[in-house]
């Protein structure tokens, strides 16, 4: 009987050691997940910042391009008003013909 008691004590010690190892592993996993979550959050913030910056630069370029086109069109109309009027009438006529069909 003494051997059974000693064996049971060893099994108990082994089970406690295994439980402590598992608990330590779980704690390490929690820390790793927390670090991974923080890293993903930082990466997402950087990506969002870059996207906002790219969108802002694109909008500024488009705005500048649109202003240039408006300026060029205004100059062309002021230099050749009859040509601009004829062109507008022609485009209107073609648009009307397309809409009838």
């Amino acid at each position: 009987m003494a051997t059974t008691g000693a064996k049971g004590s060893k099994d108990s010690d082994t089970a406690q050691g295994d439980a402590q190892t598992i608990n330590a592993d779980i704690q390490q996993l929690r820390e790793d997940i927390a670090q991974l979550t923080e890293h993903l959050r930082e990466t997402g913030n950087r990506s969002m910042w870059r996207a906002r910056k790219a969108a802002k630069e694109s909008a500024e370029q488009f705005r500048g391009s649109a202003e240039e086109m408006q300026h060029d069109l205004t100059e062309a109309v002021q230099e050749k008003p009859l040509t601009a009027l004829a062109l507008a009438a022609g485009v209107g006529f073609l648009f009307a013909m397309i809409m009838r069909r």
Side-chain angles (χ1 to χ4, degrees):
M1 273 271 196
T3 55
T4 307
K7 184 178 179 187
S9 176
K10 285 183 182 179
D11 288 343
S12 176
D13 290 342
T14 303
Q16 285 179 349
D18 289 344
Q20 288 175 349
T21 302
I22 290 172
N23 285 336
D25 289 345
I26 289 173
Q27 183 61 33
Q28 183 62 44
L29 282 173
R30 286 181 179 157
E31 291 172 7
D32 290 346
I33 289 172
Q35 287 177 351
L36 180 62
T37 302
E38 182 61 29
H39 178 70
L40 289 173
R41 183 178 298 125
E42 289 173 3
T43 302
N45 287 340
R46 275 184 266 154
S47 296
M48 191 176 357
W49 179 81
R50 287 181 184 149
R52 283 181 181 166
K53 182 179 176 184
K56 186 177 179 180
E57 288 173 358
S58 177
E60 288 173 359
Q61 288 176 351
F62 177 74
R63 192 174 308 129
S65 178
E67 289 172 358
E68 285 179 28
M69 286 191 300
Q70 181 182 5
H71 182 264
D72 293 345
L73 182 63
T74 302
E75 279 185 5
V77 169
Q78 288 175 350
E79 289 176 9
K80 300 178 182 178
L82 292 178
T83 303
L85 183 61
L87 183 62
V91 170
F93 178 75
L94 289 174
F95 185 69
M97 292 298 289
I98 291 172
M99 294 303 291
R100 283 190 181 191
R101 291 185 181 195

